[in-house]
Amino acid sequence: MGKVTNSINDQLSTDLASFLTSLNPELISQLTDGSLDLTSYQSVVESELQALEAEHISIHREVIQDDVQCLKQEVDKCEATLGNLQETLLGFSADLSGLSGDIQHLQNQSLAMALQLSNRTKAEAALTLFLQKVVIPPNMANAIIYDDIDAIFVACVMDLEAKYEYVHGDDDPSNNIPGDVRDGSTSTSVARSSFIPPPPSQTVAGREVKAHLERLRLKAIERSRLFFLHKLGELRRPKTNVRMIQVNSLLKFAPLIDFLRDAAPEVYQEIKGVYTESMGKMVHALFRVYLAQLSRLDAKVVNRHDAQLIAIEESALKSHGSSSSETIFSASYSPFNTPVKAKAKHPTTDSFHLGDRADVLDACVQCAKPILVHLAQSEHKTYPYEQLFRSVMMHLIDSLTNEYVFTLQFFKDHGRDVFHKIFNRTFSLVLETTENYLFNCHDALCLLLMIKINHLHQRIMKQRRVNNENVDNFFDRVNHLLWPRFKMLLENQVRSLRTANGKKLGLSSSSSSSSNTAAVELHSHYVARRYAEFTSSILLIVQHHDVNGLHTDLTSARSDVPSGHDSRAHPRAFSSALTSPLRASKSFESATDRGKLISGVHTNQANSSVDGRSGGDIILDELSDIQQETISLLRRVADEHSDSKRKTIFLINNLDQIINMFQERRVFAQHAEVIAPFEELLTQQREVFVEEELTQMYSKIIAFVQQFEGKMQLGTVDMNQHNQNVESLVREFALNWKRGIEQINKNVLSYFSNFRNGLEILKQVLTQLLLYYTRFQDILRKGYRGKVPEFCKDLVSTTQILAEIKKYALSI
């Protein structure tokens, strides 16, 4: 605000200075002396201004008079133009008012024409549909009546069924409205005005064609029935590939079976019954023949019930062609613990040695080909029963898979019922055959392998998504047949060990009088070898899946079976009669689970439970009982020997034999609890033998050490009172110590057939001897208190003893 005021003041000062400058000197002098009359001077100024204004106005009028005239003319012209334009626009407005009515008329006329077009289109569609459903083309009638049954026949039958359903539809007119109107795809007004044809039954054409459709439909039913009965009859003929008929003759014409299910339920039931009966008989016959032929390939690993017992009597053992000093195994053991192949006539007839029998589990996981009977017979091969069982189960699950998929595709909702009826007799046949075998089965290894094979195939069926209660019940029934028998065999082992004694096993007091016989009897008994082999085999089967780490994709299994082979020319063709490319189909692939199929006796397995316990618990419990009874039996047999040293040697040899076999079979890694009791007992018996062996050779010096160590713990002892006894001990040891060590070496080599065991025991004996002699020297040193008698110069130095010990150790 202050700045504005200052600016105004400056402007006034400037204007005042200019005014003063412009005044004449006379006026300035009058203003200075105050003689100027401002009022009169104001009048003068105003008159001058008025005169000046009038002069300027007159000049201005003269200058712009012509321009103003021109401007007025232009304004008048513009007003005239605008008036004409207004009149034109008013005319346009009047014309537009008239066009609005015309447009409304045209719009109404267009809507009416659109409605007419829509109605005529709906009427055309309805009439077209009516004519298509009512009129029977001649080529369709000829195809149904005269032509061969093929894809064209199927299409004509489907068209005929559609016409029949249309003609025999209900009387609701809305059902005959074209679909786009019923679905609300057009406006309500159009739908309300669309053409609704009358029901076909109310038309002359519909009533006339109904009878023709009935007759043509009956003809289609008749020809379809005869076609299916003919194709199903081929299933019973020899040299017929069932899978080819199913794929090319049945599934290809599956729409016809759907047509019969709706058009002629009694014919559909007839065809379903004929197929069920034909397939049931055919499958049953194939399995019956295959099972009969497989029975001739049984190697019969165990022929007698007592042959599989660990504690078999010597008389029964000799009846098998062996003596008590021999083993019935396909692999025996040398003193160096190296397996040597036995010269057995039938190396597979061994119920204790597992050998390569567990390979059948790998074959199951890999879905290897089943046994081809004709090839096996031509090569004179025989197989353990578990391989025969695997072949039957492999064929069975392939047949189940193929038929399960086919019946669901062909019979739809009735497929499960047909599937069950087809395999009902076959399930009974397999169960009966298995049960008959179990009556005379004494091979525990075979039963355990069969249990795992059964569980594996059940897992395969789950991965193939064959979810059928009857199939699950079948596998459960097989499981319930196998487990009680297997448990009974394990209990028989426990019972045989519990009731056995030295007399039954060929080792008694009377027989030990002969030195030659006694030398043999000190070595490991066949009971120990049979126990170790049996237990190792059981544990190897149990842990087979953990050792091999089997993880197999089932979809990659056995897809190389020719589907075009004649299946019933010979029973050997069974492998292709019921197989199909379904094995290789990815429909059987599990998206989340492919692995660890072989876990049939794992402790976490729920469906192998017996008496509320899992299969693994049952096996481990029974093996624990067998272990305890074996140790008890070895102790009882050892008691048949005449002295405690021989008992100890007998126990050491047997315990060492058991431990070595466990280590050879490598079962200790996951089952340390099985080998631990034997190792502990072996350690105890070795300590006992060391003391007894040293007592026999150096009893006096050992007794002296034990006696005087106890006295020295109670107080000081004056050794001068025992000089004579000490001198005799010193001189006797110096004279006989080398001979004693040599005799110990000979005894150990003769007592223990396993050199490793003998070497370990020899080291313990000589080490203990060195400790006893060192303790003897310490007693003398403390007893004489530095005043050693003259005879102490005959003491043997520990260095000499160590050198002698090393010499024998290196010689071995």
Side-chain angles (χ1 to χ4, degrees):
M1 186 64 184
K3 291 182 179 181
V4 175
T5 305
N6 294 332
S7 177
I8 295 173
N9 293 332
D10 293 339
Q11 184 64 34
L12 291 175
S13 299
T14 302
D15 294 340
L16 182 60
S18 299
F19 174 71
L20 293 176
T21 303
S22 61
L23 293 179
N24 52 35
E26 183 179 356
L27 184 59
I28 294 174
S29 61
Q30 291 178 2
L31 287 173
T32 303
D33 56 16
S35 60
L36 180 62
D37 185 4
L38 294 177
T39 303
S40 60
Y41 185 72
Q42 179 179 3
S43 302
V44 174
V45 171
E46 289 179 354
S47 62
E48 290 179 355
L49 287 174
Q50 291 176 356
L52 183 61
E53 180 181 1
E55 183 180 2
H56 279 81
I57 289 173
S58 62
I59 295 172
H60 182 69
R61 285 177 179 176
E62 293 176 356
V63 173
I64 64 172
Q65 183 174 3
D66 296 336
D67 294 336
V68 172
Q69 187 67 29
C70 291
L71 182 61
K72 181 180 179 183
Q73 292 175 358
E74 289 178 0
V75 170
D76 293 340
K77 188 183 295 184
C78 287
E79 288 180 355
T81 301
L82 290 176
N84 295 334
L85 181 60
Q86 182 178 6
E87 291 178 359
T88 302
L89 292 178
L90 290 176
F92 285 164
S93 177
D95 293 340
L96 290 177
S97 298
L99 290 175
S100 176
D102 295 340
I103 292 173
Q104 183 67 32
H105 175 73
L106 291 175
Q107 184 178 5
N108 294 334
Q109 188 178 7
S110 176
L111 291 176
M113 293 176 66
L115 181 59
Q116 293 175 4
L117 177 61
S118 176
N119 291 337
R120 291 176 183 180
T121 302
K122 303 307 178 184
E124 179 185 4
L127 290 175
T128 302
L129 176 65
F130 178 79
L131 293 175
Q132 289 176 350
K133 297 296 185 181
V134 169
V135 175
I136 302 176
N139 58 346
M140 184 180 76
N142 291 331
I144 294 176
I145 298 174
Y146 302 109
D147 293 348
D148 295 334
I149 295 180
D150 52 13
I152 297 177
F153 177 85
V154 174
C156 291
V157 171
M158 295 299 100
D159 192 13
L160 173 66
E161 185 66 10
K163 294 178 183 295
Y164 182 85
E165 292 178 356
Y166 179 81
V167 172
H168 289 77
D170 55 32
D171 294 334
D172 185 3
S174 62
N175 290 335
N176 297 324
I177 300 176
D180 57 348
V181 177
R182 290 197 305 268
D183 297 339
S185 59
T186 58
S187 63
T188 305
S189 60
V190 175
R192 191 179 296 115
S193 303
S194 59
F195 173 74
I196 301 178
S201 58
Q202 297 180 8
T203 63
V204 177
R207 289 192 296 268
E208 182 178 342
V209 81
K210 183 180 294 186
H212 297 287
L213 291 175
E214 289 282 357
R215 290 194 298 270
L216 200 57
R217 193 167 184 252
L218 291 176
K219 188 63 178 179
I221 293 172
E222 178 186 359
R223 296 198 65 195
S224 298
R225 173 182 176 274
L226 295 176
F227 171 78
F228 281 118
L229 291 179
H230 173 71
K231 293 299 180 182
L232 296 180
E234 292 180 357
L235 295 176
R236 303 181 182 181
R237 296 178 184 175
K239 301 182 181 181
T240 300
N241 191 310
V242 175
R243 187 59 190 166
M244 292 294 291
I245 294 178
Q246 288 179 336
V247 174
N248 298 329
S249 299
L250 297 180
L251 283 180
K252 184 177 179 181
F253 298 98
L256 291 182
I257 203 68
D258 297 335
F259 162 71
L260 292 178
R261 182 176 57 249
D262 299 331
E266 67 283 355
V267 176
Y268 171 78
Q269 293 296 332
E270 178 186 6
I271 293 174
K272 186 176 72 171
V274 171
Y275 176 82
T276 303
E277 181 183 2
S278 300
M279 281 300 298
K281 289 182 178 180
M282 187 272 295
V283 174
H284 181 266
L286 285 175
F287 274 95
R288 185 179 67 250
V289 173
Y290 189 66
L291 287 169
Q293 291 190 339
L294 283 181
S295 64
R296 303 189 189 101
L297 304 179
D298 187 5
K300 299 186 184 300
V301 176
V302 181
N303 294 324
R304 294 175 48 178
H305 69 90
D306 57 350
Q308 57 83 34
L309 296 177
I310 295 175
I312 185 175
E313 296 185 12
E314 188 182 29
S315 58
L317 186 64
K318 290 180 178 180
S319 67
H320 287 278
S322 303
S323 64
S324 61
S325 62
E326 295 175 341
T327 177
I328 316 178
F329 308 111
S330 60
S332 59
Y333 290 86
S334 69
F336 294 96
N337 205 30
T338 304
V340 179
K341 293 294 181 180
K343 296 180 180 179
K345 182 177 181 181
H346 299 289
T348 59
T349 57
D350 178 7
S351 61
F352 292 93
H353 179 59
L354 182 62
D356 59 355
R357 294 176 66 179
D359 292 345
V360 68
L361 301 178
D362 299 339
C364 290
V365 174
Q366 298 166 3
C367 291
K369 292 181 180 180
I371 296 173
L372 299 178
V373 177
H374 65 290
L375 292 179
Q377 289 177 343
S378 64
E379 297 175 2
H380 304 286
K381 288 184 178 180
T382 57
Y383 302 89
Y385 191 81
E386 64 269 10
Q387 294 196 25
L388 308 182
F389 180 74
R390 183 199 73 85
S391 295
V392 173
M393 297 300 287
M394 192 71 245
H395 276 309
L396 182 59
I397 65 171
D398 285 343
S399 302
L400 289 170
T401 303
N402 296 333
E403 202 59 33
Y404 182 80
V405 174
F406 171 77
T407 53
L408 289 183
Q409 291 178 349
F410 192 68
F411 292 105
K412 303 299 188 300
D413 296 338
H414 300 92
R416 295 180 184 274
D417 181 59
V418 174
F419 174 78
H420 169 62
K421 292 180 180 178
I422 290 174
F423 286 96
N424 193 24
R425 291 182 62 194
T426 304
F427 286 160
S428 300
L429 174 65
V430 176
L431 290 171
E432 181 182 358
T433 304
T434 305
E435 188 173 10
N436 291 336
Y437 169 77
L438 294 179
F439 284 144
N440 296 315
C441 177
H442 307 283
D443 187 358
L445 303 186
C446 174
L447 290 180
L448 185 55
L449 289 171
M450 290 173 65
I451 290 172
K452 297 195 75 168
I453 290 170
N454 181 67
H455 176 73
L456 168 64
H457 286 102
Q458 189 173 13
R459 291 285 301 275
I460 292 176
M461 295 301 286
K462 291 295 184 183
Q463 287 207 348
R464 292 181 176 183
R465 299 176 184 176
V466 181
N467 301 318
N468 186 272
E469 182 179 359
N470 296 312
V471 175
D472 295 337
N473 291 338
F474 166 74
F475 285 110
D476 291 341
R477 290 176 66 184
V478 174
N479 202 43
H480 293 155
L481 288 176
L482 296 174
W483 266 109
R485 183 69 181 183
F486 176 70
K487 188 172 182 293
M488 185 195 74
L489 294 183
L490 294 182
E491 292 173 348
N492 288 344
Q493 297 289 3
V494 176
R495 193 178 302 109
S496 68
L497 291 168
R498 187 175 295 154
T499 58
N501 52 50
K503 184 177 180 180
K504 292 182 179 179
L505 301 179
L507 179 64
S508 62
S509 299
S510 61
S511 65
S512 62
S513 59
S514 172
S515 59
N516 294 332
T517 305
V520 175
E521 291 173 348
L522 288 178
H523 295 295
S524 60
H525 197 266
Y526 65 84
V527 169
R529 292 191 290 271
R530 291 166 73 91
Y531 162 75
E533 192 71 75
F534 177 78
T535 304
S536 299
S537 299
I538 293 292
L539 294 177
L540 285 174
I541 295 174
V542 172
Q543 70 185 28
H544 186 79
H545 65 288
D546 295 328
V547 173
N548 291 345
L550 297 177
H551 299 279
T552 304
D553 187 355
L554 296 177
T555 62
S556 62
R558 300 200 309 115
S559 59
D560 56 345
V561 179
S563 60
H565 185 67
D566 290 337
S567 63
R568 299 186 64 176
H570 191 277
R572 68 190 181 188
F574 180 80
S575 61
S576 63
L578 295 175
T579 53
S580 76
L582 288 175
R583 289 196 194 102
S585 173
K586 290 188 178 180
S587 62
F588 302 141
E589 182 176 357
S590 174
T592 57
D593 184 23
R594 296 183 184 176
K596 292 189 176 181
L597 297 179
I598 302 185
S599 57
V601 292
H602 197 269
T603 53
N604 292 330
Q605 180 184 330
N607 63 344
S608 295
S609 61
V610 180
D611 299 333
R613 296 180 295 165
S614 68
D617 293 337
I618 294 174
I619 293 176
L620 294 180
D621 290 346
E622 295 295 337
L623 289 182
S624 178
D625 294 339
I626 294 175
Q627 179 191 73
Q628 296 175 8
E629 294 299 333
T630 300
I631 295 175
S632 299
L633 176 60
L634 291 177
R635 291 184 183 276
R636 293 198 302 271
V637 174
D639 291 339
E640 298 290 337
H641 291 279
S642 57
D643 55 71
S644 60
K645 181 179 179 180
R646 293 172 61 83
K647 296 178 183 178
T648 303
I649 295 172
F650 176 81
L651 287 176
I652 290 176
N653 279 323
N654 283 276
L655 294 172
D656 178 67
Q657 175 67 56
I658 293 173
I659 293 173
N660 284 335
M661 191 168 292
F662 282 159
Q663 292 175 346
E664 180 76 18
R665 299 292 184 263
R666 298 183 179 181
V667 299
F668 56 87
Q670 298 186 7
H671 299 282
E673 70 279 0
V674 177
I675 196 174
F678 295 102
E679 291 179 336
E680 181 179 356
L681 186 58
L682 177 61
T683 301
Q684 296 174 359
Q685 295 302 317
R686 282 177 175 176
E687 294 175 354
V688 172
F689 173 79
V690 168
E691 294 297 330
E692 291 184 350
E693 185 69 16
L694 291 177
T695 301
Q696 182 177 355
M697 303 297 300
Y698 306 98
S699 58
K700 293 182 180 179
I701 195 170
I702 291 175
F704 178 85
V705 169
Q706 293 175 348
Q707 177 183 358
F708 278 87
E709 280 184 343
K711 290 182 179 180
M712 286 186 173
Q713 291 178 356
L714 297 176
T716 59
V717 177
D718 187 5
M719 296 300 299
N720 294 319
Q721 300 177 4
H722 306 280
N723 282 344
Q724 184 176 1
N725 186 21
V726 173
E727 182 179 2
S728 64
L729 291 176
V730 172
R731 297 187 185 278
E732 181 179 356
F733 184 82
L735 182 64
N736 299 323
W737 72 275
K738 288 186 178 181
R739 186 165 55 252
I741 291 178
E742 182 180 359
Q743 185 62 39
I744 290 174
N745 179 59
K746 291 180 180 179
N747 290 342
V748 170
L749 293 180
S750 63
Y751 292 154
F752 307 107
S753 58
N754 185 356
F755 280 1
R756 295 179 183 177
N757 181 43
L759 178 60
E760 184 66 27
I761 294 175
L762 179 61
K763 289 181 180 179
Q764 291 187 18
V765 173
L766 297 181
T767 303
Q768 187 65 25
L769 172 62
L770 181 61
L771 290 176
Y772 271 126
Y773 193 69
T774 303
R775 290 159 62 186
F776 176 70
Q777 291 178 336
D778 292 340
I779 291 173
L780 296 184
R781 190 180 302 108
K782 295 178 181 179
Y784 288 109
R785 300 176 184 177
K787 299 178 180 179
V788 182
E790 184 69 19
F791 60 81
C792 286
K793 66 181 180 180
D794 294 332
L795 286 171
V796 181
S797 66
T798 56
T799 305
Q800 291 178 286
I801 299 176
L802 281 174
E804 192 71 13
I805 291 175
K806 290 181 180 179
K807 183 180 70 174
Y808 281 100
L810 293 176
S811 65
I812 295 178

